[in-house]
Amino acid sequence: MSDLTDVEVLWLEKRIENRIRFGRIVEERKIDRHRRVLSFAPGSIFAFVRWTSNDFGTIISRIDILRAVAPGQRCSIVPYVTPGGDILLRLSGWPKVERVLQMIDAVEALGIDPADVAPDHWHHIHNRLSVNESPRPYTKARHQAWLHRQRATR
């Protein structure tokens, strides 16, 4: 059994797209023309976007921001993610998913890798968007505070 968290990504043109928006992939296996398995180290944070449509349009639009777990740690079951993950954000519906993607873009515009963002920020976005409120933007000052807190707890 591997210590890694595996995510199956899938692409079927105009039908299904499961993809990673950000995260540090440590291994990649190609299953076939449409499927790959991407693996993440314990503790790493990644965004998993799922989209499905049928002949009438989009039927599922979802984003999960997860922390990969170590063997034996409790985790939530997430489709296509083995063994599962620690859910930091889970939203569905295109307007909310689009908003999260915009917030990820804003973090990147600051020159910060979204995989390094304070996990509490992803919880904050989840909580605010779940009740149709605007989340606070992530800032360089907040990021520096998070980095200092990490160093202090090591």
Side-chain angles (χ1 to χ4, degrees), residues 107-152:
V107 166
E108 290 174 331
L110 294 171
I112 299 169
D113 185 333
D116 295 330
V117 165
D120 291 346
H121 182 66
W122 301 122
H123 282 294
H124 166 74
I125 292 172
H126 168 88
N127 292 337
R128 299 295 286 183
L129 291 179
S130 292
V131 295
N132 296 319
E133 293 290 331
S134 293
R136 288 184 311 272
Y138 198 68
T139 64
K140 286 188 176 190
R142 179 160 183 180
H143 188 63
Q144 288 304 313
W146 162 242
L147 295 176
H148 288 301
R149 189 169 85 189
Q150 277 190 301
R151 282 193 291 273

Side-chain angles (χ1 to χ4, degrees), residues 4 9 25-31 36-39:
L4 302 176
V9 294
I25 299 163
V26 295
E27 279 184 18
E28 181 175 342
R29 290 187 329 266
K30 184 175 180 177
I31 296 174
R36 294 176 297 142
V37 175
L38 307 176
S39 301

Side-chain angles (χ1 to χ4, degrees), residues 50 62-66 76-79 87-92 122 126 130:
R50 291 182 283 156
R62 165 167 274 148
I63 186 165
D64 295 290
I65 297 182
L66 307 163
S76 298
I77 295 172
V78 177
I87 298 171
L88 304 176
L89 176 146
R90 173 175 252 186
L91 292 167
S92 60
W122 301 122
H126 168 88
S130 292

Side-chain angles (χ1 to χ4, degrees), residues 6 8 16 22 25 28 35 43 52 64 73 81 83 89 93 98 101 105:
D6 294 332
E8 184 179 328
I16 300 173
F22 69 78
I25 299 163
E28 181 175 342
R35 295 180 303 153
T52 305
D64 295 290
Q73 277 187 316
V81 179
L89 176 146
E98 182 179 37
L101 294 172
D105 290 343

